[in-house]
Amino acid sequence: MKVLVTGAGGFVGQHLLNKLMKKDNNIVAINRKNNKFLSSLNIPVYETDILDFDTILNCIEQEKPDVLIHLAAQSNVGVSWREPALTASTNIEGSLNLYKAFFKVNSKGKFINIGSSDEYGLTAKLGIPLKEEMECKPQNPYSISKYCSEQMLLQLAKKDKVNVISTRSFNHFGPGQNIGFVVSDFASQVADIKKGLKENKIFVGDLSAARDFLYIDDVIDAYIKITEKEIPTGVYNISSGTSIKIEYILNKLIEISNIDIEVIIDKNKFRPAEVKNFVGNSDKLKKIVGWKPTVNFDDGLRKTLNYWVNN
Ligand code: A2R
Ligand code: GDD
């Protein structure tokens, strides 16, 4: 099977490619700029912005992929408040470019769009595990762009009678995730303290929020199953089913590090609008592709902290 991955040099992209390469797949990558990891793999890499339709079409015409896994995005909620237009164009127009180019070349192919649990927005306030059929009320520029692209793609898929899977992936974390996401923000600071590069103070945002977290390996496993198995067009949650308080993550990382660390709440790190608690129900995906998460949350934190200590 030939699989084209966009955003291949990003956090999820690198983990996904490592796993896909171990299987009998033919991989092609799209990435905006030159990337050391991608250059080290023996695969075709197209360096382009997903807003550049002609280059995208050229890549897809040359490679003729069976499956497109669309990861490329402005993925950071905090950044989306500062750059709403960039977030909208990348996440909406970029996704539409890929849809148009992909199905122009292969109307029998599978388009996997990576969306976000954040699309549920205010509905999460119900405090019950979110299901795909529940209403979405996104509350920030990032989740609005993700919901918009998801709905555009699904409506077009209905009209064009093509196969589009759009995930609502809940929070994920692991080695290689950028600063700007909560586990990386905390683990990188704890690692710097451990290495003596920083005084024993950690700066954090809103600790009262809670999220449904998956370790990156479980997320990749879900994406691979969606790639390999037949799956009807629609929306699929990818979640653990458990909500974890941000404060727990902080305390656990400090406990694992075995150092006394002073916690400083930094109001600048708070979001203009925050839905406090997310938890998802992923029965739909489990039933169709037989996926279930397997990594213990605390073990995932240990691996992530080790990554930061060693890098
Ligand atoms: O910003 P760059 O140059 O490192 O590339 C990022 C890429 N990307 C783009 N590629 C082409 N044209 C663009 N206009 C463009 N804007 C961004 O998407 C990077 O390689 C990738 C995103 O990687 P991360 O920010 O590390 O996100 P992550 O965690 O891998 O998320 C994957 C997907 C995204 O759709 C998220 O919204 C979702 O999972 O949660
Ligand atoms: N980033 C960050 N940094 N968040 C903090 C911090 C901090 O120092 N302190 C507290 N938080 C809180 C945030 O206010 C939020 O409630 C929670 O920790 C998680 O923040 P993020 O890791 O930035 O994740 P997110 O939920 O806003 O968005 C992520 O998850 C989505 C899935 O729901 C991103 O990975 C999105 O791309 C993804 O779609």
Side-chain angles (χ1 to χ4, degrees):
M1 183 167 30
K2 193 173 235 188
V3 185
L4 170 63
V5 179
T6 73
F11 164 55
V12 176
Q14 297 200 24
H15 283 271
L16 179 64
L17 258 63
N18 274 330
K19 190 80 182 272
L20 281 172
M21 298 285 289
K22 289 193 185 121
K23 298 181 149 231
D24 195 15
N25 287 305
N26 218 332
I27 315 295
V28 181
I30 286 183
N31 203 55
R32 187 156 46 173
K33 48 186 188 253
N34 186 275
N35 176 290
K36 235 162 99 183
F37 164 77
L38 294 174
S39 308
S40 73
L41 307 174
N42 197 13
I43 59 166
V45 180
Y46 290 77
E47 277 166 26
T48 174
D49 196 301
I50 56 170
L51 295 175
D52 179 350
F53 179 75
D54 292 342
T55 319
I56 298 289
L57 181 61
N58 175 49
C59 156
I60 293 175
E61 277 176 343
Q62 282 193 40
E63 300 293 343
K64 298 188 177 48
D66 304 296
V67 180
L68 190 156
I69 308 179
H70 176 35
L71 300 170
Q74 193 304 92
S75 64
N76 190 297
V77 175
V79 170
S80 78
W81 285 106
R82 300 190 289 277
E83 300 273 10
L86 171 88
T87 303
S89 60
T90 307
N91 296 358
I92 302 169
E93 192 186 336
S95 304
L96 290 172
N97 278 344
L98 287 158
Y99 175 98
K100 194 171 159 193
F102 181 67
F103 287 117
K104 185 167 191 237
V105 173
N106 182 3
S107 61
K108 299 264 176 288
K110 185 195 288 184
F111 189 110
I112 304 172
N113 178 57
I114 305 304
S116 170
S117 57
D118 219 18
E119 294 171 39
Y120 288 108
L122 280 183
T123 302
K125 281 194 163 174
L126 290 172
I128 51 171
L130 295 157
K131 286 185 159 187
E132 291 84 349
E133 63 271 21
M134 290 178 174
E135 195 183 352
C136 283
K137 296 180 184 167
Q139 287 299 297
N140 59 60
Y142 168 76
S143 52
I144 292 166
S145 74
K146 283 288 184 178
Y147 184 57
C148 185
S149 57
E150 171 202 287
Q151 289 301 309
M152 288 261 204
L153 296 179
L154 289 174
Q155 292 308 322
L156 288 169
K158 213 168 164 189
K159 168 180 85 65
D160 298 334
K161 299 189 173 45
V162 292
N163 191 200
V164 173
I165 316 309
S166 201
T167 72
R168 291 199 189 133
S169 307
F170 283 64
N171 292 60
H172 33 288
F173 71 100
Q177 188 172 38
N178 273 332
I179 301 281
F181 301 90
V182 69
V183 177
S184 288
D185 280 352
F186 292 177
S188 60
Q189 292 185 71
V190 172
D192 279 353
I193 294 168
K194 208 172 164 66
K195 291 189 275 190
L197 299 173
K198 181 178 159 28
E199 60 176 336
N200 290 21
K201 286 182 180 166
I202 183 164
F203 294 84
V204 302
D206 187 351
L207 296 180
S208 69
R211 294 284 186 271
D212 180 326
F213 283 91
L214 285 169
Y215 185 65
I216 184 66
D217 289 1
D218 282 329
V219 179
I220 298 303
D221 188 34
Y223 293 168
I224 301 254
K225 286 201 161 70
I226 294 171
T227 302
E228 289 175 343
K229 303 212 171 175
E230 222 170 277
I231 174 163
T233 291
V235 174
Y236 295 85
N237 283 345
I238 302 180
S239 62
S240 74
T242 308
S243 157
I244 294 193
K245 260 200 148 178
I246 303 303
E247 188 174 19
Y248 174 87
I249 298 174
L250 177 66
N251 291 339
K252 186 49 88 181
L253 286 168
I254 294 176
E255 181 194 313
I256 298 169
S257 76
N258 214 6
I259 313 172
D260 267 344
I261 297 178
E262 184 188 349
V263 174
I264 297 172
I265 308 280
D266 178 355
K267 291 276 175 194
N268 293 321
K269 289 180 183 276
F270 280 53
R271 305 267 165 83
E274 175 91 270
V275 180
K276 292 282 183 188
N277 186 11
F278 278 88
V279 58
N281 174 313
S282 54
D283 288 352
K284 185 178 171 190
L285 185 74
K286 284 177 181 154
K287 210 165 134 193
I288 294 184
V289 303
W291 167 82
K292 67 171 190 312
T294 58
V295 182
N296 171 276
F297 180 76
D298 291 355
D299 289 346
L301 282 186
R302 267 185 211 97
K303 287 184 189 172
T304 310
L305 182 58
N306 274 341
Y307 164 82
W308 282 103
V309 170
N310 295 318
N311 284 277

